[in-house]
Amino acid sequence: MPIRILQPQVANQIAAGEVIERPASVVKELIENSLDAGATEVRVEIREGGRRLVRVQDNGCGIAAAETELAFQRHATSKLQTLDDLQRLTTLGFRGEALASIAAVAQVTLVTRSRDEEVGTRLRFYTQCTFLSEARELAREPIGVPAGTTFVVEHLFANVPARLKFLKQAATETGHIQQIITRYALAFPERRFSLVCDGRLAFQSSGSGQLRDVVAKAYGLDMARQMLPIGDGVPADDSSVGNGDEDDAGAASATEPAPGGPIAVSGYAGTPSLHRSNRSYITLFVNRRWFQDTTLAYSVIQAYHTLLPAGRYPVALIFIELDPAALDVNVHPTKAEVRFQDSRAVFSAVQRAVRQALNRHAPIPHFTQAGAGDAGPAITTWQDMLAWSSRREALLGAGRSQPGRPPEPPPPGGDALAGPAMAPPAPPAGVPILRVVGQMGAIYIVAEGPDGMYLVDQHAAHERILYEQMLGQHAGQKLAIQPLLEPLVLDLSPEQAAAVAEDLDLLNAWGIAIEPFGSSSYLVRSIPAVLSRDDPHKALVEICDGLAQSVDVAESAHEARLVTAICKRAAIKGGQVLSLTEMQEMVRQLEASRSPRTCPHGRPTIIYMSTAELARQFGRT
Ligand code: ADP
Ligand code: MG
């Protein structure tokens, strides 16, 4: 064939393929246009999963009669003129491709009236064309309508059989559309969105401006109840949480200074108990634009490190705000990906903000069903804290030393100043100070807290304590090591031996002084001190076996697994009878932990039953 320039309609159809993949893409583009037009209300209606019809109606600024046809030209946009404008972009659209693309693959009707004009316009494309012919007709007429814009898109891909074939069932396409609308509703809580599917109202947001309202609509109340706010409303000095968490230091506000300008992170993080089997529940927005980023999602997952069971993923809703100049949104036609000028700064800001939200708010799991109305530990003031602490000391008797985490003194200034102007300290986020009552089944420690009863899983709790102990010692380069009187020979399976060969440095770094000794044997000269009570040979074989089974995970996760395996091995087992002193010591150390409520594998270490709930159960109320 000779070389020819494609007919415009054919070129448009080909280009449209990049932007319009399925009905949800139409919805996305039209909603973005409505938002860019300043609409406070966006109504979406679909039939048959959007294939038969998509209608998007807004109360935005409308399109001037003289510009209605122009809007459908490729590269026609009112949002940008020069390349420099990309640096200051505040609109969702800028490529001027959406309307041209939609019109190339569907029948489109536009009804619009500009706020500045008396009469509106109705414009209709009759696209009879197949891929080869390009017969298009245009009908336009003046029409009396309220200011705003409505697009009706019908028979999507009727002229592109190849695309049509790939569309899924109506229910699946509806699901995609629902997801799109939910995202915009979350990003723009001050605007009202609704979705009607085949005549039935499927989603509606109130436009109240409260993100929490939309979260409840989007995720359901049950899930929304388990979401913790990130960033906002955080008092600058939050030392009451005070279990020595360096993550919190200097990150009291979620806004961080960075070379590319400040990075603000807000949103919601699911409690660790709200985990999912895949990472699709991590939703990311930057400057109110939804985007995908596996590395950033990973940094969110990392913030839950050791809090979630293995193979489970968190639920999170992350809003990042930064200078548009520090961001490139022009990476892909659908704008689903972005590039950060300083991605490291963004990643660490997000991770810190999530971690902080978790440390501050995560409640201890209750015995009771959700909805019982207990809000967790009831210590809300310094007075409560001090009163409880002295009562506890009295109960414990004078023989016991101060707990590891003594209550800090009340803020300076005295009672006279302690008016409403001084923010009350947040309730303790870790574990309250507990009085050990006894042991149950040689598995659980029963303890009394300021506001109810606590059951501690002795094995899980001890794992957590040892884990943090080892991390702390390792960070300070003073890991406690136990030299073996006689070097120990480990005869391993080829698989275990191969894994160990890969990890010699890692093992040595964590106190296992190990060197090759023949083909699949190793010589061990020292072990981490935490293992010294154990049979070192058994412990080492088990640990090497663990390494063999975690070869294909990321480096940091691999290291974490090694440490977790050591701690699991070293921790007191269920079934071991403990003395009161041992239990008190363990509870004291748990109180002082950074993440006291879960073991390193993500299982809870503690469950709690409030005084109110006990009274209710006994019919005392
Ligand atoms: P882009 O959004 O990238 O500018 P589009 O093809 O989506 O490109 O839209 C082209 C132009 O049509 C927009 O720049 C805008 O001026 C106008 N437009 C589209 N939809 C609307 C709307 N709902 N309300 C007002 N103007 C609109
Ligand atoms: Mg657009």
Side-chain angles (χ1 to χ4, degrees):
M1 281 205 299
I3 298 175
R4 270 185 308 219
I5 302 275
L6 285 176
Q7 297 293 332
Q9 175 64 10
V10 178
N12 266 347
Q13 278 189 343
I14 291 173
E18 286 189 341
V19 187
I20 305 300
E21 200 185 340
R22 57 183 354 144
S25 334
V26 175
V27 173
K28 169 184 181 290
E29 294 297 337
L30 295 180
I31 290 184
E32 289 195 348
N33 283 347
S34 297
L35 293 171
D36 285 345
T40 53
E41 171 138 25
V42 182
R43 298 176 192 215
V44 182
E45 188 192 331
I46 59 167
R47 298 219 189 108
E48 294 172 23
R51 181 196 290 209
R52 167 81 184 72
L53 173 136
V54 171
R55 179 205 306 272
V56 176
Q57 182 179 5
D58 70 48
N59 61 354
C61 65
I63 304 175
E67 295 181 350
T68 45
E69 279 161 54
L70 186 60
F72 284 91
Q73 301 256 330
R74 188 160 295 274
H75 312 307
T77 178
S78 56
K79 301 170 192 175
L80 162 147
Q81 283 183 353
T82 69
L83 205 57
D84 272 356
D85 293 343
L86 259 183
Q87 297 274 310
R88 299 180 282 271
L89 202 66
T90 53
T91 53
L92 294 162
F94 57 88
R95 297 172 62 104
E97 286 182 325
L99 294 185
S101 297
I102 295 169
V105 293
Q107 274 186 27
V108 182
T109 309
L110 161 66
V111 178
T112 185
R113 178 165 76 78
S114 157
R115 277 182 199 150
D116 307 327
E117 293 177 340
E118 297 286 307
V119 183
T121 309
R122 182 184 143 103
L123 194 70
R124 192 165 155 85
F125 289 102
Y126 295 93
T127 316
Q128 316 299 14
C129 65
T130 65
F131 203 73
L132 293 176
S133 85
E134 73 223 48
R136 314 186 81 191
E137 284 172 49
L138 198 108
R140 89 179 263 143
E141 60 192 24
I143 188 172
V145 282
T149 303
T150 304
F151 280 97
V152 184
V153 177
E154 292 169 280
H155 305 297
L156 182 67
F157 297 142
N159 57 345
V160 194
R163 263 293 149 84
L164 200 57
K165 231 174 28 203
F166 283 101
L167 288 191
K168 300 278 187 298
Q169 289 188 335
T172 312
E173 298 299 339
T174 302
H176 285 289
I177 291 171
Q178 226 149 3
Q179 195 176 41
I180 295 275
I181 292 178
T182 309
R183 278 180 203 152
Y184 288 104
L186 288 166
F188 294 86
E190 75 286 8
R191 316 215 195 174
R192 273 165 66 93
F193 292 83
S194 61
L195 170 66
V196 172
C197 303
D198 297 308
R200 196 180 48 83
L201 182 67
F203 176 84
Q204 188 163 38
S205 70
S206 68
S208 69
Q210 297 298 314
L211 178 58
R212 189 159 265 283
D213 291 351
V214 192
V215 170
K217 283 265 162 66
Y219 293 91
L221 257 183
D222 258 4
M223 238 169 109
R225 279 207 196 94
Q226 301 177 63
M227 307 274 279
L228 310 165
I230 299 172
D232 51 3
V234 175
D237 178 4
D238 196 28
S239 53
S240 62
V241 178
N243 44 9
D245 194 333
E246 307 97 65
D247 279 0
D248 279 352
S253 151
T255 306
E256 306 211 348
I263 302 164
V265 182
S266 61
Y268 284 93
T271 59
S273 54
L274 188 69
H275 42 76
R276 292 287 179 270
S277 63
N278 61 61
R279 51 185 77 194
S280 68
Y281 282 82
I282 301 172
T283 310
L284 307 169
F285 297 87
V286 58
N287 294 350
R288 294 192 171 203
R289 183 190 295 279
W290 175 84
F291 70 106
Q292 276 173 312
D293 190 322
T294 35
T295 327
L296 186 52
Y298 183 69
S299 76
V300 173
I301 295 167
Q302 280 289 297
Y304 283 80
H305 188 50
T306 77
L307 298 176
L308 297 178
R312 304 292 291 180
Y313 298 91
V315 176
L317 191 60
I318 310 285
F319 292 93
I320 302 162
E321 295 281 336
L322 42 67
D323 181 354
L327 182 72
D328 183 2
V329 290
N330 188 27
V331 181
H332 190 262
T334 62
K335 298 166 245 155
E337 282 162 35
V338 301
R339 249 182 242 129
F340 295 105
Q341 194 186 349
D342 187 354
S343 52
R344 273 166 170 256
V346 174
F347 294 173
S348 67
V350 166
Q351 195 172 87
R352 227 188 324 269
V354 173
R355 189 84 206 181
Q356 205 180 1
L358 292 175
N359 279 344
R360 182 168 296 106
H361 302 280
I364 296 164
H366 280 225
F367 285 125
T368 47
Q369 292 302 305
D374 292 324
I379 300 183
T380 49
T381 66
W382 287 108
Q383 282 71 20
D384 286 355
M385 187 72 170
L386 290 171
W388 162 248
S389 143
S390 53
R391 187 173 138 232
R392 173 175 176 271
E393 287 308 308
L395 286 166
L396 289 171
R400 169 106 145 59
S401 62
Q402 272 288 303
R405 183 161 54 95
E408 275 112 308
D415 283 347
L417 284 175
M422 190 170 291
V431 171
I433 299 167
L434 299 175
R435 179 178 74 87
V436 173
V437 176
Q439 193 183 20
M440 213 194 86
I443 299 177
Y444 307 113
I445 300 169
V446 185
E448 182 195 359
D451 55 335
M453 184 175 78
Y454 290 73
L455 282 183
V456 179
D457 180 315
Q458 64 192 40
H459 174 67
H462 199 211
E463 268 186 295
R464 163 56 64 190
I465 292 164
L466 294 177
Y467 185 77
E468 295 196 3
Q469 213 173 63
M470 281 193 76
L471 290 189
Q473 292 176 357
H474 187 259
Q477 312 214 312
K478 39 180 200 269
L479 191 72
I481 289 172
Q482 171 77 53
L484 298 175
L485 286 179
E486 271 190 39
L488 184 151
V489 179
L490 276 185
D491 294 310
L492 299 174
S493 75
E495 202 192 344
Q496 292 167 342
V500 169
E502 289 273 302
D503 285 324
L504 280 179
D505 290 346
L506 190 63
L507 288 163
N508 278 287
W510 285 97
I512 302 179
I514 185 167
E515 56 194 71
F517 189 66
S519 63
S520 58
S521 300
Y522 287 88
L523 207 60
V524 181
R525 296 185 190 277
S526 80
I527 53 174
V530 291
L531 286 175
S532 54
R533 274 183 305 180
D534 202 7
D535 171 353
H537 191 268
K538 260 194 191 157
L540 287 166
V541 170
E542 193 180 275
I543 288 161
C544 295
D545 200 41
L547 285 181
Q549 274 156 36
S550 90
V551 280
D552 49 11
V553 301
E555 211 172 296
S556 62
H558 189 64
E559 181 166 14
R561 283 198 199 181
L562 170 66
V563 185
T564 318
I566 295 173
C567 296
K568 183 181 173 61
R569 188 69 214 187
I572 284 172
K573 306 280 178 295
Q576 187 163 335
V577 178
L578 301 177
S579 72
L580 189 62
T581 324
E582 284 172 325
M583 290 190 284
Q584 284 169 343
E585 182 56 21
M586 188 182 299
V587 166
R588 188 192 68 71
Q589 290 182 0
L590 189 65
E591 287 164 3
S593 297
R594 288 168 50 147
S595 305
R597 292 158 187 165
T598 53
C599 79
H601 301 94
R603 279 198 303 119
T605 53
I606 277 204
I607 56 178
Y608 154 71
M609 190 177 231
S610 72
T611 313
E613 180 56 23
L614 282 168
R616 214 183 346 261
Q617 297 275 342
F618 283 111
R620 284 175 157 272
T621 40

